[in-house]
Amino acid sequence: MTRHTLTGLRVVVIGFVAMLATMLGVGTAAAHSAVIGSTPENGAEIASAPDRVSLQFNEALQEKFASLTVVGPDGNLWAKGEPTVAGDAISVPLEGLGPVGEYTIAFRVTSADGHPVSGTRTFTLTQEGTGTPGPKAGGQSSDSESGESGSNLLIWVFVGVGVVVFAGGLWFALRKPRS
């Protein structure tokens, strides 16, 4: 290899390492609101219904388009009224619960950065309640946080572009100069 080729190769390698170091920060920059606590706690077993179901997030939420439902083991809605957003928390009132079993808290909120975040938490009622159910639940949220899929795709796009740029730079640095 000539001295020119080695210098070009060093430049490409240093550039690639710098690009990778920069991309390591992409995951934290794309972070959205995350649940850090709930009442009742996720997976908790309770004997009676709390007055409210609430979720606390790691950052303030936007009030627009907030949704919080409680679906019982019978498939009925048990939350009464509209959800309330206050800073980093969202809550909805309950007027009792009904059958023994697992209840699902489904949420959809908008992060401070404008991205929607949704998911579920669960708790189990261990003693029959006296509450009155609401209507049957419609389209329930999935178990995973859907906000993550968009940011993961963006990371893979950056990685793909980085590989193509690196390969092009490597080809350019290693090609034989025309004499």
Side-chain angles (χ1 to χ4, degrees):
M1 287 188 173
T2 67
R3 183 170 188 222
H4 173 68
T5 303
L6 288 176
T7 302
L9 183 58
R10 281 188 205 134
V11 168
V12 170
V13 169
I14 290 170
F16 183 70
V17 169
M19 180 189 64
L20 283 178
T22 302
M23 288 175 51
L24 290 175
V26 170
T28 56
H32 304 300
S33 294
V35 177
I36 58 173
S38 64
T39 303
E41 284 294 325
N42 191 34
E45 293 187 4
I46 61 173
S48 61
D51 292 335
R52 302 184 74 75
V53 167
S54 62
L55 299 172
Q56 184 178 3
F57 291 80
N58 64 332
E59 65 181 13
L61 304 172
Q62 293 186 18
E63 293 184 28
K64 296 179 184 178
F65 312 114
S67 172
L68 182 63
T69 61
V70 179
V71 179
D74 57 356
N76 290 323
L77 294 170
W78 287 89
K80 305 295 183 191
E82 294 296 315
T84 303
V85 174
D88 64 353
I90 182 172
S91 65
V92 67
L94 295 179
E95 292 177 6
L97 295 173
V100 170
E102 186 175 81
Y103 286 75
T104 301
I105 303 167
F107 65 91
R108 181 170 174 84
V109 296
T110 304
S111 296
D113 64 4
H115 289 89
V117 176
S118 61
T120 60
R121 314 270 289 181
T122 62
F123 65 91
T124 301
L125 184 65
T126 60
Q127 296 179 12
E128 193 79 20
T130 58
T132 304
K136 287 285 186 190
Q140 297 179 23
S141 294
S142 68
D143 288 304
S144 63
E145 308 234 351
S146 64
E148 296 296 317
S149 63
S151 62
N152 287 342
L153 177 62
L154 186 61
I155 290 169
W156 285 111
V157 167
F158 280 126
V159 169
V161 168
V163 168
V164 169
V165 168
F166 176 73
L170 188 61
W171 173 82
F172 183 77
L174 295 178
R175 69 183 174 90
K176 291 187 177 191
R178 295 179 190 176
S179 305

